[in-house]
Amino acid sequence: MKPYFIHFNIDPTSAMPHISPLMGGRQQCPPGYTYGPVMRQYYIIEYVLSGKGEYTVSGDAFEVSSGEAFIIKPYEVHILSADKEEPWEYVWIGFSTDLTLPNQFKENYVIDASAISEEFMRLSSAGGEKLSSAEYSTIVFSMFSKLYASENFEEDESRKPMDVAEAIIKKEFATITVKELAERLFLDRSYFGAQFKKHTGKTPKEYIDECRMSSATKLMHELGYTVTQAASAVGYSDVMAFSKMFKRHYGKSPREFLKTKENTICRSTFHLK
């Protein structure tokens, strides 16, 4: 492929909060092309579209090929060298952020970028003038979300994002929302929803509703709560909304449930005489 260089013009003043895209571009390097040594004051993540090359940082050299990404960290001297036979073509974006970085960013220089290839394809196909600064910010946030979600917590299984989500719901089902849950786990809401359903077989909302209804039945059956009291305890200020959800789950209204309970008690008492 003929060498080329495209610079993406980004206006950082219109960026979203917490993520400021600063620069970006796409390049097909000529064989053996070397850039550096150079140092940046911000993060850059570069995704190799095709070919291969060598990324040298602080004296350590890393071979990087198609489908992988390398991470340039602030204030670290680095050199980029395209392979002489299969020179790399890559797309990149540079940014600053006050968000907590995924561990893969903090602990590695080269990563398998299959989880975030979609974001780089979007950067690659859109070009510099077709995306707003806010859209660049969204792309970076989406990368963070997917990298965070895909991290392997083998040393502590309870820290896996979907396990954490389940634990939070079971504890806070009366007040938690799907939006708040996704934000707490630093995950894009739609991506979180898909991963949660894959993990549990239910959407986050379905899981929350199920916890609420299960708790409500126990409160009414075992502790003698009224319908209004049970509804309030599991997070419903509107009793009618609670009743509709209850009937959707159990095929009967809360009052019908209580009546069935009373009849069961009466029959049990009769047989004990």
Side-chain angles (χ1 to χ4, degrees):
M1 181 181 292
K2 185 178 179 180
Y4 68 83
F5 176 87
I6 301 173
H7 174 70
F8 298 165
N9 294 316
I10 301 174
D11 175 14
T13 60
S14 62
M16 294 171 63
H18 306 298
I19 296 177
S20 297
L22 301 173
M23 53 89 78
R26 175 175 171 171
Q27 183 173 11
Q28 169 65 63
C29 297
Y33 173 80
T34 296
Y35 178 74
V38 66
M39 181 179 69
R40 301 293 187 182
Q41 298 177 325
Y42 43 84
Y43 278 93
I44 302 175
I45 180 167
E46 304 207 23
Y47 176 79
V48 180
L49 296 164
S50 62
K52 57 186 178 180
E54 185 176 84
Y55 169 43
T56 303
V57 54
S58 301
D60 294 324
F62 301 91
E63 295 291 334
V64 192
S65 58
S66 176
E68 295 181 312
F70 55 94
I71 300 162
I72 296 172
K73 303 177 183 182
Y75 304 105
E76 292 188 347
V77 176
H78 58 278
I79 301 171
L80 308 181
S81 302
D83 186 76
K84 293 180 180 180
E85 302 296 329
E86 301 176 56
W88 52 14
E89 177 188 17
Y90 47 56
V91 59
W92 70 89
I93 186 167
F95 59 90
S96 62
T97 181
D98 60 6
L99 295 174
T100 301
L101 295 171
N103 287 338
Q104 292 186 65
F105 258 66
K106 294 184 288 186
E107 299 173 359
N108 302 290
Y109 285 104
V110 179
I111 63 172
D112 176 355
S114 56
I116 54 175
S117 61
E118 181 180 343
E119 283 71 21
F120 281 108
M121 291 302 101
R122 185 179 176 195
L123 276 176
S124 179
S125 61
E129 304 299 331
K130 296 181 181 179
L131 294 176
S132 68
S133 186
E135 288 175 306
Y136 279 111
S137 298
T138 300
I139 288 172
V140 175
F141 183 83
S142 180
M143 289 181 189
F144 278 18
S145 298
K146 291 183 178 180
L147 288 173
Y148 185 86
S150 66
E151 286 172 358
N152 188 3
F153 294 105
E154 291 183 350
E155 295 181 1
D156 182 0
E157 288 294 320
S158 66
R159 292 183 62 204
K160 286 185 177 180
M162 298 307 111
D163 290 335
V164 172
E166 280 193 87
I168 292 173
I169 291 174
K170 289 176 180 178
K171 183 179 180 181
E172 304 177 34
F173 59 81
T175 56
I176 195 71
T177 66
V178 177
K179 180 176 181 292
E180 291 168 346
L181 189 57
E183 289 176 349
R184 193 182 299 186
L185 294 172
F186 191 52
L187 297 174
D188 173 76
R189 180 171 175 173
S190 60
Y191 181 76
F192 163 64
Q195 292 299 308
F196 189 87
K197 186 168 184 178
K198 182 178 179 181
H199 181 71
T200 66
K202 301 179 179 67
T203 67
K205 186 179 186 306
E206 288 171 343
Y207 199 94
I208 291 171
D209 288 340
E210 187 171 280
C211 287
R212 286 177 170 179
M213 295 303 105
S214 177
S215 179
T217 59
K218 291 180 181 179
L219 291 172
M220 291 187 291
H221 188 274
E222 298 175 12
L223 299 180
Y225 275 41
T226 66
V227 175
T228 301
Q229 290 171 333
S232 179
V234 299
Y236 284 87
S237 57
D238 184 342
V239 178
M240 291 299 295
F242 167 73
S243 296
K244 288 180 180 178
M245 182 60 69
F246 192 95
K247 188 168 185 178
R248 185 183 303 170
H249 269 71
Y250 299 112
K252 61 181 67 176
S253 70
R255 299 193 187 282
E256 289 172 333
F257 169 81
L258 287 175
K259 187 175 181 180
T260 301
K261 172 200 166 187
E262 291 170 358
N263 291 338
T264 301
I265 293 174
C266 289
R267 287 196 298 271
S268 298
T269 303
F270 176 78
H271 285 298
L272 286 173
K273 290 181 179 180

